[in-house]
Amino acid sequence: MFTTETTLRAPLRVAVAQTVARPGDTVHNAAEAAATIARAADAGVRVVQFPELSLTGYEPGWLTSHLPAGALTPDGPELTAVREACRATGVTAVVGAPTSAGTKSAISAIAVGGDGGILADYRKSRLEEHERQLFVPGTQCCTLTVDGWRLALGTCYDASFPEHARAAARSGADAYLCGGAFVRGDSDHRRSVYFPARALENTFYVVFSNFVGPQGPWDFCGRSAIYGPDGRTLAEAGAREAELVVTDLDDAALVATRRGLTMLRDLDDAAAPSAMSSCVV
């Protein structure tokens, strides 16, 4: 299930796109995403991850007033610029958008392949209380394969639930790609804990992208980052500016980490206790 073979894959160069979105301006946001994909390609990037709802922004006033009528479709015109940029560069991009889901919408992470085709529409499975008024949760997990690397998708609050990333790891994922929308304050603190923890406890890479700057009442905290399978930060953006942060996922490091940190193998081998026993001191 997990990478232990002696024949190693070539490194996979990935990027997180830390962006400043204009709420509701899908034309502008998609054009900015396309330009970012082109810059990523110039840096040799194969996969670029964007924040949650990156094509519309995450401004609650706009979302409340425009959804579900303003929801996008993965093959709709709002993604044309992104799809053309991916086709021109061969880069795979994961962008965020509200998509149609009956009487409500879904928070989608849409994966566009290097040929411009839609590879996946992953729908956020864990919704915060304020999101449930507008959105319905997805029910399916999603893993992409790019250059032989298995990449699982998540979105923001999904990472608050360790079992979401653990299911990805147990399915054989080498990395967990997660777009977020974390703001300054307590939300920023949780961001700093969740993503390195998900990397360490699953001994896989975590690729996390966040907004930066204000959108309505929100002030996004940035700090988009890529974490190694031991939980250490490999690359991180700042807290004030839009940035493109690039690093390589290295198979030798993944194999070495999983050789030394055997939690996934031990989880498979261990018999789970039927109940937690009490201890009185």
Side-chain angles (χ1 to χ4, degrees), residues 75-139:
D75 58 354
E78 298 89 350
L79 269 85
T80 298
V82 172
R83 297 180 68 177
E84 289 178 349
C86 290
R87 186 180 300 112
T89 61
V91 170
T92 294
V94 183
V95 297
T99 55
S100 299
T103 59
K104 292 188 177 181
S105 304
I107 297 176
S108 287
I110 302 168
V112 181
D115 62 355
I118 303 298
L119 298 179
D121 173 9
Y122 166 74
R123 298 187 165 193
K124 185 177 182 178
S125 63
R126 306 291 187 178
L127 299 178
E128 297 191 62
E129 184 175 1
H130 68 273
E131 293 174 331
R132 295 172 205 153
Q133 302 171 34
L134 298 174
F135 300 104
V136 294
T139 59

Side-chain angles (χ1 to χ4, degrees), residues 26 40 107 138 152-153:
T26 56
I107 297 176
L153 301 184

Side-chain angles (χ1 to χ4, degrees), residues 155-172:
T155 300
C156 203
Y157 196 48
D158 287 335
S160 301
F161 298 83
E163 60 270 23
H164 190 269
R166 176 55 53 84
R170 296 194 73 170
S171 75

Side-chain angles (χ1 to χ4, degrees), residues 179-193:
F182 288 80
V183 300
R184 299 185 189 280
D186 290 344
S187 177
D188 188 13
H189 165 69
R190 292 193 296 274
R191 169 211 58 80
S192 73
V193 174

Side-chain angles (χ1 to χ4, degrees), residues 37-262:
I37 291 165
R39 286 199 293 123
D42 289 342
V45 168
R46 297 288 294 138
V47 180
V48 57
Q49 171 72 48
F50 287 83
E52 180 179 22
L53 297 180
S54 60
L55 294 185
T56 60
Y58 196 127
E59 201 281 300
W62 185 89
L63 295 171
T64 300
S65 62
H66 286 78
L67 296 180
L72 283 62
T73 57
D75 58 354
E78 298 89 350
L79 269 85
T80 298
V82 172
R83 297 180 68 177
E84 289 178 349
C86 290
R87 186 180 300 112
T89 61
V91 170
T92 294
V94 183
V95 297
T99 55
S100 299
T103 59
K104 292 188 177 181
S105 304
I107 297 176
S108 287
I110 302 168
V112 181
D115 62 355
I118 303 298
L119 298 179
D121 173 9
Y122 166 74
R123 298 187 165 193
K124 185 177 182 178
S125 63
R126 306 291 187 178
L127 299 178
E128 297 191 62
E129 184 175 1
H130 68 273
E131 293 174 331
R132 295 172 205 153
Q133 302 171 34
L134 298 174
F135 300 104
V136 294
T139 59
Q140 302 294 321
C141 296
C142 182
T143 303
L144 312 173
T145 300
V146 178
D147 297 349
W149 287 77
R150 288 176 57 81
L151 313 173
L153 301 184
T155 300
C156 203
Y157 196 48
D158 287 335
S160 301
F161 298 83
E163 60 270 23
H164 190 269
R166 176 55 53 84
R170 296 194 73 170
S171 75
D174 305 303
Y176 185 60
L177 277 56
C178 200
F182 288 80
V183 300
R184 299 185 189 280
D186 290 344
S187 177
D188 188 13
H189 165 69
R190 292 193 296 274
R191 169 211 58 80
S192 73
V193 174
Y194 289 150
F195 295 102
R198 298 298 87 85
L200 173 60
E201 66 198 10
N202 294 296
T203 56
F204 60 13
Y205 290 94
V206 169
V207 180
F208 160 68
S209 183
N210 195 25
F211 288 118
V212 68
Q215 293 181 40
W218 303 132
D219 189 8
F220 292 98
C221 62
R223 299 295 184 191
S224 304
I226 301 167
Y227 300 94
D230 59 0
R232 289 186 170 89
T233 303
L234 300 179
E236 185 178 45
R240 298 290 178 185
E241 304 291 338
E243 294 186 49
L244 183 71
V245 175
V246 177
T247 199
D248 290 340
L249 308 189
D250 182 73
D251 209 8
L254 184 63
V255 170
T257 299
R258 288 181 167 174
R259 186 178 296 124
L261 299 175
T262 60

